[in-house]
Amino acid sequence: MADSYPECALAAVGEKRQQFGSRFLSDPARVFHHNAWDNVEWSEEQAAAAERKVQENSTPRVCQEKQVDYEVNAHKYWNEFYKIHENGFFKDRHWLFTEFPELAPNPNHNDLNDWLSENKRSEVPEGRSKEEGPGLKTEEQHTCPSDSLGHKTQMPPLEEDVTRKLSHLEIRADEFPGSSATYRILEVGCGVGNTVFPILQTNNDPGLFVYCCDFSSTAIELVRTNSAYDPCRCFAFVHDLCDEDATYPVPGGSLDVIILIFVLSAVIPDKMQKAISRLSRLLKPGGMMLLRDYGRYDMAQLRFKKGQCLSESFYVRGDGTRVYFFTQEELDTLFTAAGLEKVQNLVDRRLQVNRGKQLTMYRVWIQCKYRKPLVSGAGPEPPVADRILSSSAVF
């Protein structure tokens, strides 16, 4: 099962990760000199063999009754996964700061803040007038004020209260967790925090607030009980990305960055577009959505056996969790239909090497950055109900 998850292979590399595109295999005889090679070209024979393998393992399809079970009980399968592995399966994703500098310290050096640098520090939280000032002073943001949900010892009842308010859309635009922050990041599908905790530990921006959600309650409990979890700087909550009635704990247009790391591939394809469109409405103008996920013909796709295919390029693992393998064009369609503009959409075609066992593994991942346009009114018009709620309600 480990081969189906990307970071097991990354963890085995054991070297400081270089940015994609910086290490090339020019001499095949040197393949075992390093643990990974970038942008490895496939021969026509290799590409044809991969296509044949996918055609072979795509038939027969999983019966409809089982497909319904995998959809309805998806949270149960992921809960069981985290109960078994807890926080020892995936490794912290420190490589994210190389590929996505938007998450690193000094965010004004990245592409997003080149667009927003003039307004970022003077930002007034939604629901406040400029006369009331920009909110709390920098040194006060470390004291865990009431609008960031209190101290750790108070978290269970307070988080229950927040969940209750969210379900009734009672939270005002200036009362949401992290409302005084000047830079807000949301990770969707956070698992046990392998992205969130490196961000919190590395990025010491006093105006930073990180939200993270997963539809596995077991995973969120592991995040909340981690010694690195700081409710003054982070809010973890259970959320189903595909539930159109479920709300996010922030108003529309309030996030600077949304992160999707190997999570969209776990969503049934028919529900991907609405999920991305809902997330898009949470971004500020100029805000970025960052994605890294499985690409078509990745090693994990080729290793599936017959009888595990749900639909085209969509499979179920032995533990009941599911995975989709994308093309660049599919992801571009999803993001642009949600009103976002392309900044980056590339294939990370990587050859990973197990030098101890003298094995080679061909991985295919896709990395994307899409920005919400700065021009007011750009992108598709949201439904009327969303336009009415966006100024005062959470999504």
Side-chain angles (χ1 to χ4, degrees):
M1 183 179 66
D3 288 337
S4 297
Y5 298 90
E7 288 151 276
C8 298
L10 283 175
V13 170
E15 296 179 352
K16 184 176 180 181
R17 188 184 193 278
Q18 293 180 308
Q19 191 170 13
F20 165 66
S22 60
R23 178 177 287 172
F24 302 99
L25 179 61
S26 56
D27 180 3
R30 291 175 52 84
V31 65
F32 294 109
H33 284 220
H34 295 289
N35 288 321
W37 301 95
D38 296 319
N39 202 24
V40 176
E41 294 293 334
W42 284 23
S43 66
E44 292 184 7
E45 292 79 9
Q46 184 179 3
E51 185 175 356
R52 286 195 302 272
K53 182 62 178 176
V54 166
Q55 291 175 348
E56 178 184 321
N57 69 20
S58 295
T59 54
R61 301 286 172 89
V62 175
C63 69
Q64 189 60 35
E65 182 180 356
K66 289 296 294 182
Q67 294 212 32
V68 171
D69 171 65
Y70 292 132
E71 173 65 12
V72 172
N73 296 310
H75 64 289
K76 294 182 180 179
Y77 289 111
W78 279 108
N79 276 338
E80 187 62 27
F81 173 88
Y82 287 114
K83 285 178 183 177
I84 294 172
H85 299 287
E86 294 188 338
N87 58 2
F89 192 77
F90 299 125
K91 302 300 180 183
D92 285 349
R93 299 161 170 163
H94 294 284
W95 55 267
L96 285 174
F97 302 115
T98 301
E99 305 297 347
F100 299 127
E102 294 82 1
L103 308 176
N106 301 316
N108 57 319
H109 292 163
N110 63 46
D111 293 338
L112 168 62
N113 282 274
D114 287 342
W115 288 64
L116 302 176
S117 58
E118 293 183 3
N119 299 317
K120 179 175 182 291
R121 292 303 174 185
S122 61
E123 174 191 330
V124 178
E126 293 186 39
R128 297 183 182 181
S129 67
K130 291 187 178 181
E131 287 74 16
E132 293 174 315
L136 300 175
K137 296 180 180 179
T138 297
E139 60 269 20
E140 293 176 327
Q141 293 176 358
H142 293 283
T143 62
C144 207
S146 58
D147 69 354
S148 62
L149 301 183
H151 302 285
K152 285 186 179 181
T153 56
Q154 297 175 306
M155 280 183 58
L158 283 174
E159 289 189 340
E160 290 176 5
D161 183 57
V162 169
T163 302
R164 178 185 61 79
K165 288 183 177 181
L166 288 175
S167 66
H168 294 88
L169 299 177
E170 295 175 3
I171 291 183
R172 299 205 331 262
D174 60 346
E175 286 186 335
F176 63 94
S179 59
S180 62
T182 55
Y183 197 75
R184 303 186 189 97
I185 296 173
L186 165 66
E187 185 192 11
V188 180
C190 64
V192 297
N194 299 111
T195 294
V196 170
F197 293 129
I199 292 175
L200 292 173
Q201 293 161 2
T202 304
N203 193 332
N204 58 3
D205 180 355
L208 173 70
F209 197 88
V210 181
Y211 308 86
C212 58
C213 64
D214 199 286
F215 78 155
S216 167
S217 57
T218 301
I220 293 300
E221 182 62 23
L222 288 168
V223 171
R224 291 174 179 168
T225 56
N226 191 303
S227 60
Y229 183 69
D230 181 0
C232 298
R233 305 182 68 214
C234 184
F235 180 61
F237 58 101
V238 178
H239 183 85
D240 183 350
L241 177 64
C242 297
D243 186 349
E244 296 182 44
D245 296 323
T247 54
Y248 289 95
V250 294
S254 61
L255 298 178
D256 294 278
V257 177
I258 295 175
I259 315 169
L260 296 158
I261 305 298
F262 296 104
V263 62
L264 190 61
S265 54
V267 173
I268 189 168
D270 290 347
K271 296 184 178 182
M272 289 179 182
Q273 185 63 70
K274 286 186 177 180
I276 294 297
S277 295
R278 290 183 66 229
L279 286 172
S280 174
R281 294 196 287 272
L282 299 179
L283 287 173
K284 299 176 181 178
M288 298 276 277
M289 199 173 295
L290 312 178
L291 173 140
R292 189 171 176 86
D293 219 318
Y294 294 97
R296 193 68 50 84
Y297 304 138
D298 176 66
M299 175 191 72
Q301 183 179 16
L302 303 185
R303 289 192 174 184
F304 277 107
K305 301 187 184 308
K306 290 183 178 181
Q308 292 181 273
C309 186
L310 301 164
S311 60
E312 184 178 356
S313 300
F314 193 42
Y315 298 80
V316 61
R317 302 183 180 99
D319 59 7
T321 63
R322 297 170 299 173
V323 58
Y324 187 85
F325 297 88
F326 293 97
T327 65
Q328 289 174 280
E329 293 75 19
E330 287 172 336
L331 287 168
D332 186 68
T333 297
L334 288 172
F335 287 124
T336 55
L340 304 178
E341 57 187 19
K342 181 172 68 174
V343 176
Q344 180 188 77
N345 184 327
L346 58 82
V347 175
D348 186 340
R349 198 179 296 275
R350 195 170 282 255
L351 174 60
Q352 292 188 326
V353 176
N354 185 323
R355 290 189 282 184
K357 296 182 179 180
Q358 296 284 287
L359 297 175
T360 57
M361 299 168 285
Y362 288 90
R363 307 311 307 259
V364 182
W365 300 318
I366 298 181
Q367 183 166 301
C368 295
K369 298 182 183 183
Y370 280 77
R371 178 188 288 120
K372 191 168 189 176
L374 286 174
V375 179
S376 178
E381 185 75 4
V384 174
D386 288 337
R387 297 202 301 271
I388 294 173
L389 292 173
S390 62
S391 62
S392 61
V394 291
F395 282 77

